[in-house]
C-alpha cells in the first residue's frame, strides 16, 4: 500500500488501503514510500505482526515515484482529511527530497493541508548533512521515536546501523527541527518500557523543549 488509513481497530484490519477506506472526512492519510530503514527495532511490526497479503505495508513492487504518489493523491478530495502523515514500514527521511516535492505540489491545491512526518530521527546521519531546513513551511508536526531513556537501551532496542551514537543524534535532530517546525514530538511505546522509564523520557523531552507522546503498543 502506498496510501492508507488507520482504522483504530486491532487485528488484520488495522491498516486499510485508502481505496477501501470509504468516507475520508476527518481521517488521516498515511504515505508509505520506502521499506528501507537504518534501524531494526525489536518491537517493529515487521517482527511482531504478520500482515495479510492484501493488507500489508511492505512495498513488494519497489518504491513509488513522486509522480505515482501524486497520481494516487489525485483520486481523492484531500480538503476533508485530518492530515497527511509520511510514515509506513520504512524511514521516510530516506526520501526527504521526494517528499518535499510531493508536499509542494499538494500545497498548490490544498494550501491549508496539514503534514506530519513520523521518523526515527536519523535523517541527518542518513544524508550526512542537516536536512531539517527542508522541513520549514512544509511540515506542521515532526514525530521522532525516542524509544528509550538511555543510549544503551536505545541501541539495544533499535539496533541502529549508526551505532550507539544514534541516541544523541535523534535528540540533536529534535532541537534542530524546532527551528523550522511548529510542533516537535518524541514518542515512546507504552508496553516496551516501565512507567519509571517513561517518566525519565518525559524529563529528557522537557529539557529538549519538545513534547512526549506515549504510543500504544501494536502487537
Amino acid at each position: 500500500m502506498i496510501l492508507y488509513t488507520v482504522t483504530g481497530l486491532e487485528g488484520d484490519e488495522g491498516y486499510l488501503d485508502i481505496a477501501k477506506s470509504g468516507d475520508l472526512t476527518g481521517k488521516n492519510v498515511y504515505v508509505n514510500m520506502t521499506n528501507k530503514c537504518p534501524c531494526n527495532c525489536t518491537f517493529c511490526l515487521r517482527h511482531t505482526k504478520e500482515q495479510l497479503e492484501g493488507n500489508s505495508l511492505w512495498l513488494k513492487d519497489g518504491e513509488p515515484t513522486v509522480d505515482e504518489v501524486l497520481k494516487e493523491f489525485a483520486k481523492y478530495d484531500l480538503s476533508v482529511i485530518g492530515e497527511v502523515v509520511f510514515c509506513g514500514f520504512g524511514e521516510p527521511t530516506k526520501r526527504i527530497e521526494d517528499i518535499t516535492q510531493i508536499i509542494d505540489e499538494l500545497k498548490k491545491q490544498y494550501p491549508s493541508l496539514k503534514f506530519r512526518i513520523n521518523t526515527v530521527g536519523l535523517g541527518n546521519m542518513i544524508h550526512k548533512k542537516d536536512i531539517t531546513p527542508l522541513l520549514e513551511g512544509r511540515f506542521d508536526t515532526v514525530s521522532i521515536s525516542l524509544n528509550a531513556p538511555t543510549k544503551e537501551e536505545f541501541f539495544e532496542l533499535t539496533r541502529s546501523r549508526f551505532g550507539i551514537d544514534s541516541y544523541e543524534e535523534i535528540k540533536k535532530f529534535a532541537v534542530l527541527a524546532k527551528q523550522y517546525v511548529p510542533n516537535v514530538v518524541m514518542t515512546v511505546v507504552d508496553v516496551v518500557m516501565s512507567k519509571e522509564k517513561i517518566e525519565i523520557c518525559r524529563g529528557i523531552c522537557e529539557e529538549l523543549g519538545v513534547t512526549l507522546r506515549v504510543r500504544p503498543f501494536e502487537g
Side-chain angles (χ1 to χ4, degrees):
M1 287 184 283
I2 298 173
L3 302 183
Y4 64 100
T5 58
V6 177
T7 65
L9 303 176
E10 294 183 358
D12 292 322
E13 293 303 315
Y15 303 102
L16 284 179
D17 189 305
I18 190 174
K20 302 176 183 178
S21 297
D23 184 8
L24 294 177
T25 301
K27 294 180 180 178
N28 293 342
V29 174
Y30 294 80
V31 191
N32 183 30
M33 292 183 63
T34 183
N35 295 324
K36 299 173 183 177
C37 184
C39 294
N40 186 24
C41 298
T42 57
F43 55 86
C44 181
L45 291 180
R46 298 171 191 250
H47 311 302
T48 63
K49 183 176 181 181
E50 183 176 349
Q51 295 182 319
L52 296 177
E53 179 70 20
N55 190 46
S56 175
L57 296 180
W58 188 260
L59 296 167
K60 293 194 303 179
D61 299 323
E63 297 183 345
T65 65
V66 169
D67 286 342
E68 286 172 338
V69 175
L70 288 172
K71 285 178 182 177
E72 286 298 308
F73 270 120
K75 299 175 183 178
Y76 306 98
D77 177 11
L78 303 183
S79 66
V80 301
I81 71 169
E83 64 180 346
V84 173
V85 185
F86 289 88
C87 187
F89 252 179
E91 168 51 36
T93 59
K94 287 187 71 70
R95 298 193 61 187
I96 190 63
E97 292 184 354
D98 289 339
I99 288 173
T100 60
Q101 290 183 50
I102 291 167
I103 292 175
D104 290 348
E105 286 301 313
L106 292 178
K107 278 185 172 289
K108 290 177 183 178
Q109 185 174 0
Y110 304 100
S112 299
L113 191 58
K114 302 294 185 182
F115 292 91
R116 167 163 47 108
I117 188 166
N118 292 353
T119 174
V120 296
L122 296 171
N124 290 350
M125 296 190 87
I126 291 169
H127 294 280
K128 299 180 181 179
K129 65 179 182 179
D130 182 12
I131 65 168
T132 57
L134 295 174
L135 309 175
E136 186 173 19
R138 296 185 171 105
F139 287 100
D140 301 276
T141 302
V142 171
S143 180
I144 303 165
S145 299
L146 181 60
N147 289 323
T150 67
K151 63 181 181 181
E152 291 83 7
E153 289 185 53
F154 179 86
F155 184 57
E156 183 179 354
L157 280 172
T158 65
R159 299 179 288 198
S160 167
R161 69 177 177 88
F162 295 115
I164 202 164
D165 292 338
S166 299
Y167 191 65
E168 291 304 315
E169 181 61 32
I170 68 169
K171 292 193 286 184
K172 291 178 185 176
F173 188 85
V175 173
L176 289 169
K178 283 198 306 175
Q179 301 175 78
Y180 305 106
V181 180
N183 186 32
V184 177
V185 178
M186 301 191 90
T187 66
V188 295
V189 182
D190 57 5
V191 175
V192 174
M193 67 176 70
S194 67
K195 291 181 179 179
E196 290 77 14
K197 290 182 179 180
I198 289 174
E199 288 310 307
I200 294 172
C201 290
R202 194 180 308 281
I204 290 170
C205 289
E206 288 175 358
E207 289 180 6
L208 297 174
V210 301
T211 302
L212 177 71
R213 185 171 76 89
V214 182
R215 296 189 293 114
F217 176 72
E218 297 181 24

